Amino acid sequence: MPGPDHLGWPFFTDRHRAQAREFASFAASALPPLLGAGEENLDATYACVSRIVRALGSAGLLRVCVPATYGGAGDCVDARSLCIARETLARASGLADFAFAMQGLGSVPVTLFGSEAQKRALLPGIADGTRIGAFALSEPDAGSDVGAIATTATRDGHGNGWRLDGVKTWISNAGLADSYIVFARTGEAPGNRGLSAFIVDADAPGLDASERIDVIAPHPLGTLRFTGCRVAGDRLLGAPGEGFKIAMATLDLFRSTVGAAALGIARRAFDEAVARARERHVFGKALATFQLTQAKLADMATAIDASALLVYRAAWTRDVVATRVTRESSMAKLYATESAQRVVDSAVQLWGGLGVVRGTTVERLYREVRALRIYEGTSEVLQLVIGADALRRASGTEPA
Ligand code: COS
């Protein structure tokens, strides 16, 4: 896999370029034997993700998810490193990207808001791949509308513990994770302001994580049911009522990385399209010689570069300027995922009938890219966020 040219852009340091090489080398040599029949059935998919997490951990590649003090790589979690990792892994395998991403999403709330004891308990295992993480925000009636969360956390009357009741769904790594970051209503105020976050161990009494959801690009996904689930008082993350802020700050970081995964998928689709256009002959000449093909490739290449600019602008801004990047990460995810969908669709079109045959790479990419426009903020929610920000800026009331 050739090194992407964009690593020469001024957003990156030599450390990022070295990381990109490490992830590319893992994707090229260690990953293929781990994938096996990962899509054959859900048991195989779950087993495959476990294998990938352990291997990423053993190779030291999960260290970028965690600060150095707790077994990680840098002083703090670096958005550009996460984006490079996801771009590189997604280019090779959606499942590998997923396995990596969840280690970050399932631990960054602790990195950003956890107590020293919580960080020491959770983060080293995330960094070495011996502990699998998960992030449980969505519910059957609360996905985009976080303020509608109905899962409750009430004081359990025993010491300072809590009792969780409710249902979380669309939870990646449900049934596989060792612990979940769970958002629940503690009721300090209505809506967004009455939520709190908890670290809940997989074996907590009253937690059922057995229900799986089978999606078009299989990955470990399921529903969590909490019935009088006991959580100790020291598992509250941050302060009561801070849950919405914790969720949004985590998503500010991870939305750029979803854009990066989309970028990796788009790059792979582009490679496949170019290869097909050069090999395939129609009307007596290579598909690549037709101007219509070249126009398609031009649109794909331009969309890829524009996505890369938005993704790494957001990541660089978070790392270097260190401001809130709600707007930048929303733009990066919105643009990169929407355009990756079009790039993959064009690649399928260039592959013709073979493009929809189960088992071809572009067919897999077509299934893998779709969910990215939905999870961690639908395209429509991101449009709302960007639009509201634009209006605030115009009226001079933008957030600090
Ligand atoms: N970091 C820190 N604080 C943040 C924040 C962030 N990124 N985003 C919002 N906040 C704070 C705000 O500053 C505000 O605090 P004050 O009330 O003290 O001013 C508070 O949180 C509420 O913010 P806001 O008014 O912007 O929230 P909205 O109710 O308008 O947010 C949307 C609505 C739709 C934007 C939000 O619920 C959202 O992003 N939903 C999508 C969630 C999602 O991605 N779901 C997918 C499942 S996760 S896999």
Side-chain angles (χ1 to χ4, degrees):
M1 205 181 293
D5 298 340
H6 69 282
L7 288 171
W9 291 352
F11 294 126
F12 305 105
T13 64
D14 284 343
R15 180 169 59 87
H16 296 115
R17 289 183 265 275
Q19 279 166 353
R21 284 193 294 276
E22 284 173 39
F23 276 94
S25 150
F26 178 89
S29 48
L31 184 59
L34 299 172
L35 292 173
E39 282 209 347
E40 206 157 79
N41 57 51
L42 282 179
D43 284 338
T45 305
Y46 274 66
C48 184
V49 168
S50 279
R51 283 197 299 273
I52 295 171
V53 172
R54 309 268 180 261
L56 282 167
S58 304
L61 297 178
L62 294 173
R63 293 175 60 237
V64 294
C65 297
V66 167
T69 318
Y70 309 100
D75 292 344
C76 48
V77 178
D78 177 273
R80 288 164 294 174
S81 302
L82 295 181
C83 288
I84 286 169
R86 290 199 67 176
E87 179 190 340
T88 312
L89 293 172
R91 190 170 182 167
S93 153
L95 212 49
D97 164 54
F98 160 82
F100 172 86
M102 288 313 302
Q103 291 300 96
L105 189 63
S107 67
V108 157
V110 176
T111 300
L112 296 182
F113 296 93
S115 65
E116 185 61 23
Q118 289 169 338
K119 291 179 190 175
R120 294 215 174 275
L122 189 98
L123 299 181
I126 292 284
D128 68 15
T130 54
R131 168 183 274 271
I132 292 183
F135 182 84
L137 182 69
S138 297
E139 299 187 355
D141 294 314
S144 293
D145 184 2
V146 175
I149 281 179
T151 294
T152 55
T154 46
R155 294 282 183 188
D156 73 356
H158 299 85
N160 63 352
W162 299 83
R163 175 199 156 109
L164 264 60
D165 289 279
V167 179
K168 295 283 170 187
T169 194
W170 310 115
I171 306 307
S172 290
N173 279 345
L176 187 67
D178 295 290
S179 58
Y180 303 88
I181 308 295
V182 178
F183 295 85
R185 180 159 303 287
T186 38
E188 292 71 22
N192 289 341
R193 290 164 178 265
L195 303 175
S196 301
F198 298 86
I199 306 165
V200 181
D201 287 336
D203 59 3
L207 167 57
D208 175 5
S210 60
E211 192 179 323
R212 293 175 176 180
I213 304 172
D214 195 2
V215 285
I216 54 174
H219 76 269
L221 185 73
T223 297
L224 305 177
R225 293 182 191 282
F226 299 89
T227 313
C229 175
R230 289 278 165 79
V231 179
D234 62 4
R235 292 312 188 91
L236 174 72
L237 202 48
E242 264 195 337
F244 184 75
K245 190 171 116 189
I246 294 173
M248 290 300 126
T250 303
L251 291 174
D252 271 359
L253 171 57
F254 275 85
R255 284 176 178 157
S256 307
T257 77
V258 181
L263 179 61
I265 291 176
R267 286 192 195 283
R268 180 63 179 271
F270 184 76
D271 294 346
E272 296 291 319
V274 168
R276 180 70 179 163
R278 295 169 78 171
E279 280 160 26
R280 171 75 165 159
H281 281 68
V282 284
F283 302 108
K285 50 186 184 172
L287 199 51
T289 59
F290 289 86
Q291 288 185 338
L292 277 177
T293 305
Q294 291 167 16
K296 220 181 248 309
L297 293 176
D299 287 347
M300 294 162 82
T302 306
I304 287 170
D305 271 16
S307 298
L309 281 164
L310 281 172
V311 165
Y312 288 108
R313 186 269 299 246
W316 176 86
T317 305
R318 187 180 189 283
D319 293 340
V320 177
V321 186
T323 51
R324 194 169 136 184
V325 289
T326 306
R327 169 177 175 269
E328 290 83 354
S329 61
S330 298
M331 285 181 173
K333 180 179 186 286
L334 173 65
Y335 187 84
T337 59
E338 290 287 334
S339 61
Q341 180 86 53
R342 289 193 295 276
V343 168
V344 171
D345 191 69
S346 295
V348 168
Q349 197 67 16
L350 283 165
W351 273 72
L354 273 180
V356 289
V357 171
R358 194 172 292 281
T360 57
T361 299
V362 289
E363 178 269 341
R364 173 174 58 77
L365 297 173
Y366 193 74
R367 289 183 289 108
E368 284 178 350
V369 76
R370 187 62 184 86
L372 276 61
R373 290 164 56 210
I374 300 171
Y375 72 75
E376 289 175 39
T378 61
S379 292
E380 292 75 13
V381 160
L382 301 176
Q383 286 174 312
L384 291 177
V385 170
I386 297 164
D389 177 89
L391 289 169
R392 273 197 301 270
R393 280 167 195 267
S395 63
T397 55
E398 71 264 31

